[in-house]
Amino acid sequence: MEPEESAETARLLQSFERRFLAARTLRSFPWQSLEEKLRTSSDSELLLDILQKTVKHPVCIRHPPSVKYTQSFLLELIKKHEVVHAEPLDELYEALAEVLTTEEPTQCHRSYVLPSGDSVTLSESTAIVSHGTTGLVTWDAALYLAEWAIENPAAFRHRTVLELGSGAGLTGVVICKTCHPRAYIFSDCHSRVLKQLRGNVLLNGLPLEPEATADSESPLVTVAQLDWDEAAVPQLSAFQPDIVIAADVLYCPEVTLALVGVLQRLSACQRDQVPDVYVACTMRNPETWQLFTTELGRAAIRWEAVPPHSQKLFPYEEHSEMAVLRLML
């Protein structure tokens, strides 16, 4: 195999690996590139390599994605193979047979590969809305904010971070693994979200207080119940954050108003040195966005969009318009 062709194959394998580990939509996979490769190859080595990088990946063996998702992926892989090759590939059918006999649980796993080669794995609900909340799955702006953090570690290094609306915990786990904060406070208000969140923190090897110890290599990590409507200044003051972050929390008027309210109270907590605030958002509804900026103006909170980061590390919907905002309390 020529060096250029070998590098192209490696990129294709990496693309399949990252998308499958993160259980992204099947349409996001480079199927056309795969078909072109299969048409120029007489053997099935590439498909076997893809199988090892996806369904048979060590991370997926330990922490499997959704059964339905894996089944759909294998059926698509078989379809691509049969378009080009007449002979069936036993390994694909064996993998499918194994999946077909597996019962679908209510929880599945998504995994994300970090630049270091380490991975972050999260247990999530198989439903977008479950138990009356959307906080049991990872949303795109959380991935976007995690990418920005990886490129801007100085914003978090040796600082205390408070995350509002942590959800499944992706952004916080990435920051704890890559940006060396002194302490990290995950927070949310829903009991099921908090239970899953604690599990995901532990799943990724981050000890929770009081088990955690002051270690230069590992931040002090806590998971706090925080209702933005009810949180009073004394509770917020106890966190003493140097930096406050939130991702994908602008999805309805009630939550948007509550977010601005809690930011105002955080500002009142630390008059000497107010925390830096970064909010990552997906531009879905112009009216919600307008409400947010209007309420920020009423609260005398200035804001600006930070320059976009250069590297796309995680698979998410590329057509989504996303931004990280810096708020000046």
Side-chain angles (χ1 to χ4, degrees), residues 29 52 57 74 177-178 191 206 218 249 255 321 326:
F29 284 79
Q52 292 301 317
H57 195 291
L74 284 168
K177 282 179 172 280
T178 62
S191 59
L206 299 172
S218 181
V249 292
V255 172
E321 183 185 352
R326 178 172 174 260

Side-chain angles (χ1 to χ4, degrees), residues 98-119:
E98 186 177 338
V99 172
L100 289 173
T101 59
T102 304
E103 188 176 341
E104 179 77 272
T106 56
Q107 292 287 115
C108 64
H109 294 89
R110 295 177 188 264
S111 299
Y112 302 88
V113 181
L114 300 176
S116 64
D118 193 8
S119 62

Side-chain angles (χ1 to χ4, degrees), residues 14-150:
Q14 184 186 65
S15 180
F16 268 86
E17 176 188 42
R18 289 175 181 267
R19 282 167 171 75
F20 186 83
L21 288 175
R24 305 312 291 180
T25 58
L26 292 184
R27 67 176 180 272
S28 72
F29 284 79
W31 297 113
Q32 187 174 346
S33 298
L34 174 60
E35 277 195 47
E36 292 169 0
K37 278 282 185 185
L38 291 175
R39 291 184 190 281
T40 60
S41 174
S42 58
D43 60 38
S44 304
E45 201 63 37
L46 177 58
L47 282 171
L48 294 177
D49 287 343
I50 288 176
L51 195 61
Q52 292 301 317
K53 289 283 188 178
T54 56
V55 179
K56 299 296 183 182
H57 195 291
V59 171
C60 290
I61 298 297
R62 291 195 305 274
H63 308 296
S66 158
V67 172
K68 183 179 179 182
Y69 177 81
T70 305
Q71 178 183 327
S72 298
F73 174 80
L74 284 168
L75 287 170
E76 189 66 25
L77 212 54
I78 289 170
K79 179 180 171 184
K80 298 302 180 190
H81 170 74
E82 290 180 344
V83 166
V84 180
H85 299 286
E87 289 294 319
L89 189 59
D90 290 344
E91 287 85 350
L92 290 178
Y93 284 96
E94 288 167 3
L96 179 60
E98 186 177 338
V99 172
L100 289 173
T101 59
T102 304
E103 188 176 341
E104 179 77 272
T106 56
Q107 292 287 115
C108 64
H109 294 89
R110 295 177 188 264
S111 299
Y112 302 88
V113 181
L114 300 176
S116 64
D118 193 8
S119 62
V120 170
T121 295
L122 303 175
S123 173
E124 300 188 4
S125 170
T126 53
I128 292 176
V129 180
S130 179
H131 299 284
T133 177
T134 58
L136 295 169
V137 297
T138 297
W139 294 87
D140 285 351
L143 295 164
Y144 191 80
L145 182 56
E147 288 179 336
W148 181 84
I150 289 171

Side-chain angles (χ1 to χ4, degrees), residues 286-301:
E287 292 179 0
T288 303
W289 171 250
Q290 182 63 48
L291 174 65
F292 182 53
T293 55
T294 299
E295 290 302 315
L296 288 177
R298 287 178 179 167
I301 299 174

